[in-house]
Amino acid sequence: MDRVSSFDEPLLKLLGGATAKVMAEHLDLHTVGDLLHHYPRRYEERGKLTALADLPLDEHVTVVAQVADARILMFNNGRGKRLEVTLTDGSGRLQLVFFGHGVHKPHKELLPGRQAMFAGKVSVFNRKMQLAHPTYQLLDASDADGATEAVDAFAGRLLPIYPACKQLDSWRIAKAVDAVLPSAREAVDPLPASLREGRGFTPLPEALLKVHRPQTKADVEDARARLKWDEAFVLQVALARRRYADAQLPAVARRPVADGLLDAFDAKLPFTLTEGQEKVSKEIFDDLATEHPMHRLLQGEVGSGKTMVALRAMLTVVDAGGQAAMLAPTEVLAQQHHRSITEMMGELAEGGMLGGSDRGTKVVLLTGSMGMAARRQALLDLVTGEAGIVIGTHALIEDKVQFHDLGLVVVDEQHRFGVEQRDALRSKGKQPPHLLVMTATPIPRTVAMTVFGDLETSVLDQLPAGRSPIASHVVPAKDKPHFLSRAWERVREEVGNGHQAYVVCPRIGDDAEEAEGKGGKKTKAKKQAADEDPEKRPPLAVLEIADELRKGALAGLGVEVLHGRMHPDAKDDVMRRFAAGDVDVLVATTVIEVGVNVPNATAMVIMDADRFGVSQLHQLRGRVGRGSAPGLCLLVSEAHEASPARARLSAVAATLDGFELSRIDLEQRREGDVLGQAQSGVRSSLRMLTVIDDEEVIAAAREEAVAVVAADPELEHLPELRTVLAALLDKDREEYLDKG
């Protein structure tokens, strides 16, 4: 059955070129269906004013408020003029500013007592919240642009406030929605009739009408409940079909062998495994022993010992005659893993070599930038089976790479690998290999169900003995420059006590970076803009900061740099010397984010910390405090104290619990980025469902989806569900599901 065509109708046909172009480019809305699923963010009641006190900084907002006063001010000796309007709503005040020729119309219209909708980006000027040059629409008097119709349409109703952009205000989006709303009657309903009736849901066409043009708050609740369910259910069906398809595949069971490599390795360990590591290892060993491929997500706190658990799984597979491959997102990380695994295994990693153990195996590294001879040898060791373990980057996925008998794939840092890459590596086995995905970013349960719903989950939440606490502090460099000076003193003190430190910057700052689409003129213009407004300056760069520190605050210390564009040998050399204690301070980009293990590094200073995400900051911080000395993490920021960026940093400084932080992160970012590329193929289709708040809906939808797929894997009796699923999934993914 084809999807109903009016939903596929391009907006260009209905709305006119300019509006359709802005919708496509800035809001990713292309068809009638896209616009009907662009739901209001909230609703204003006419006559009830928004809380101006709660406006978020740096966001494009729409407010309904009343004009308190308006005045024209002259500047530049009378050559320039600006109109300042003060709005009020009982909770707070907000300033509007209009400059130059733009002051005449608002000066005539925005009279004290007038009520209007205003849209613009919230900024701070002279410590006051303001909107500069906002667009507005009067709500209590007709204006010359014929806004009367719009006012009448809104009168006495809930005003929908849509997610908007600078180029298109909420009320213009509302007008466009009016044009396509009749098509809502033709919506294809994805829910099976029994489920819809059993849960007493509003029919889908009615839910779409109610969400866009509600008469009452009850209409909004009805519509939301229904639309949330659709999103949760369709996504869970996609995941359940994938799990079902995977479970039908055959795999070679890999059972532990007595007195093999794993036993020899365990006997060498200088410490005992944590209870959590034992429990998770058992879950993995049970999965490996079955004749269907394991699909397991291993998530744990920074430093909870995931690599150890993964290595023991790899050794079990080698004992059972197979090979194991570990896929890392960057060359630095692949080299790190290779080094730490060969160190942990000692002579057991030198199978077939002089001095190697007779129970050992070969552990090889395979990355894109290796020399030809080393690469040829590694490929040979894989195809003959000489190497039981290979660690590499996505170079492992290339066609040339052949395995003797690939039994297990371990993917490190899942969010950097899509489903397609997992499938490509999986096709290297004679039969599908077992799959273990590790993520160092703890994920709230609902997100795990939504993003990684095709995997079983294991959680490591205990830290191994001997890990030290990390103290974190925000350093407000703009308001209190002496705090930054003190930060560099603290770094000197740590080095003076025989320890080492990291300094992390968001940018490299080399010529290649400037040349990538940033002509010289633009760079000059950027510098000028940065002088006028520090918030517009480019992020701080590794090369510049390293240079400043060598000449200034950290003069006399061994300061080195590390970033992604260095030659791999140079990167490896710096990391080796840092690990050996020959470098005092490493100034780096986020290449050190995961997997880097230098127990003697105790301090970290993160420059422009507000330009990193919460989970990234937590990851970075996890690089210190890995030994017996306590760790220190200083988050340097020039962000305004009231900004969301500073709130994020304070949250990171306040807790070391990664699960708690991932929740905060999600609450702040909301769902727009949650699905991102992590579940490749599934577009970020969550417009109504909030992963963090709707745990019950997601869990219930998952149960229903599993039951539906078990009863009808091909959805032969549910053509409408198939149709909606096809719209959600891109071509490759759809083909994959159809094959399943």
Side-chain angles (χ1 to χ4, degrees), residues 579-601:
D582 301 337
V583 172
D584 298 322
V585 179
L586 187 63
V587 184
T589 54
T590 54
V591 290
I592 58 142
E593 183 184 345
V594 281
V596 173
N597 186 21
V598 180
N600 191 44

Side-chain angles (χ1 to χ4, degrees), residues 25 34 81 117 176-177 284 290 307 312-313 386 416 506 558 568 574 580 586 615 621 627 630 690 724 736:
E25 286 176 9
D34 290 344
K81 62 167 78 165
M117 283 199 285
V177 169
I284 292 169
T290 64
T307 311
R312 295 181 75 243
E386 188 80 15
R416 314 208 186 180
V574 171
L586 187 63
S615 58
R621 169 172 66 183
T690 51
V724 174
Y736 178 86

Side-chain angles (χ1 to χ4, degrees), residues 39-44 50 55 61-64 159-163 224:
Y39 307 127
R41 177 175 279 158
R42 57 191 172 82
Y43 303 85
E44 288 295 353
T50 333
L55 288 181
V61 298
T62 302
V63 296
V64 177
L159 282 176
I161 306 291
Y162 287 91
R224 281 180 177 277

Side-chain angles (χ1 to χ4, degrees), residues 17-29 165-168:
T19 306
K21 188 169 187 258
V22 171
M23 286 193 166
E25 286 176 9
H26 297 279
L27 296 169
D28 197 22
L29 305 174
C165 61
K166 187 177 167 187
Q167 296 78 0
L168 202 63

